[in-house]
Amino acid sequence: MTKLQKIFLGVFLLLLAGMVYMEATKPPPVSWFPSYNNQDEIPLGTVVLYDVLEQNFNENLTEIDRPPYEVLQDTTLQGTYLFINNSIGFDEAELDKLYQWTEKGNTVFISANSMGNTLLDTLQVETQTNYLTSNIKSEPLLNLTHKKLATQKPYHIKRNFTIKTFSKIDTLNQTVLGFSEVFNDQKNIQDSLPNFIKAPVGKGSFYLHLQPEAFSNYFLLTENYATYTKNALSYLPKDQQLLWDKEYKTGKHINVSPLHILLGNKYLKWAYYTVLIGVLLFVLFEGKRKQRHIPIVEPPKNRTYEYTRTISGMYLDKKDYHSVAKKQIVLFFEYIRIQLRTPTEQQNSRFFTAVAGKTGNTIEDTKKLFTFIDKVNNQHDTSKEELQKLYNDIQVFKTKANGKP
């Protein structure tokens, strides 16, 4: 690697290290997830609102982490049920329970962008989405209708949020409490776009609000916008218990631990305890180690030597010395190919030099041995003395090779 290449490599590594450091130390991006959970401090969480409600309602504030259908089985329960989320969708059975509960003199306050057709049809209202054709952004402007609660300058949420208003209400029975408008350059607001209404039901009331962002951490911590939220909630009865819904929350914290699910069911819980007790009893009475006789397995014996001796004996008994000599030559050539890693196809001066160098024998001794091998290999008959000489010469040659440092 040249000096210039080293410089380029060093600069590249420094830039890479700098990028990694910047990526690791930069703050995480702000999450605009519509949680509305009272434990989340993100912009669209409701931890600030819940703290304010705790200060005002004290012991009358109760968290509800079950569906309204289960909660309202208690016929003695009274108060205000508060729902805040980007979307609220009651089924018919659940809405029927809420409706009957409200008729008894209780209050339901709902703030959501989407409330579901079941609720809207029951209260005979319709909603619409507002936007400006000249601008892709839709920043809400909010205000209340009551003279003591309204402000001269509307509250401007400087974020691109969905803006819903009521396009149809029962004007004879329902009351408009607030308006909403898409922000434009003039910052005015029309009184024909209600987004906050009161719908009487029997002795109680439904309060429907279509901009839940007005109850988020982001809105409450922006300038003096908390006044709007406080005034919107001022319609709630102060002497009633306030039920804070945690079931209809997009950011609901769910315990998905398998043990939590297991112990949450009575039958699964006792089955789990039964298994634990059974395992404990097994450990106490059957857990003692029992030593069994381990049979001795003899390893398979290597019979190659006996087999070789038997085959050799057969040739020697027949006095077929030539076949034995050829077998020795084949094994010796295999030794050269495998142990010395030298091909034996061509036996020339390069071959002799390579074999001599790898075994420690002289080139003359190497040539002499292979000349004799070539003679034995090409003749038709081999005497006992020639076989003995071939064996001795090969052994001497291999001994020098094995003793080579």
Side-chain angles (χ1 to χ4, degrees), residues 340-358:
L340 304 184
R341 302 180 184 279
T342 304
T344 59
E345 287 79 7
Q346 295 182 356
Q347 298 175 18
N348 48 27
S349 58
R350 181 180 297 179
F351 171 77
F352 296 140
T353 302
V355 172
K358 292 180 180 180

Side-chain angles (χ1 to χ4, degrees), residues 328 369 372 385-399:
Q328 284 192 349
L369 174 60
F372 182 63
E385 290 75 17
E386 288 176 325
L387 175 62
Q388 187 66 47
K389 176 178 172 22
L390 176 65
Y391 173 77
N392 291 336
D393 289 350
I394 289 175
Q395 293 302 314
V396 171
F397 191 86
K398 292 171 66 175
T399 302

Side-chain angles (χ1 to χ4, degrees), residues 110-124:
I110 303 173
S111 180
N113 296 127
S114 174
M115 296 187 181
N117 293 329
T118 305
L119 175 61
L120 298 178
D121 292 343
T122 301
L123 298 179
Q124 298 180 351

Side-chain angles (χ1 to χ4, degrees), residues 3 64 70 184 219 316 377:
K3 184 177 180 180
I64 304 296
E70 294 182 14
N184 55 35
F219 189 86
L316 291 174
N377 201 25

Side-chain angles (χ1 to χ4, degrees), residues 155-207:
Y155 298 90
H156 175 204
I157 304 179
K158 299 178 182 179
R159 294 287 302 182
N160 187 24
F161 290 130
T162 300
I163 302 174
K164 287 284 193 72
T165 57
F166 292 100
S167 58
K168 175 186 174 182
I169 64 172
D170 183 359
T171 55
L172 295 178
N173 297 309
Q174 297 171 355
T175 306
V176 176
L177 303 179
F179 297 99
S180 177
E181 176 64 280
V182 182
F183 169 77
N184 55 35
D185 295 336
Q186 298 178 357
K187 293 187 178 180
N188 59 3
I189 190 166
Q190 301 177 22
D191 59 1
S192 59
L193 299 174
N195 78 325
F196 184 22
I197 65 171
K198 175 183 178 182
V201 175
K203 297 179 181 180
S205 299
F206 270 85
Y207 289 89

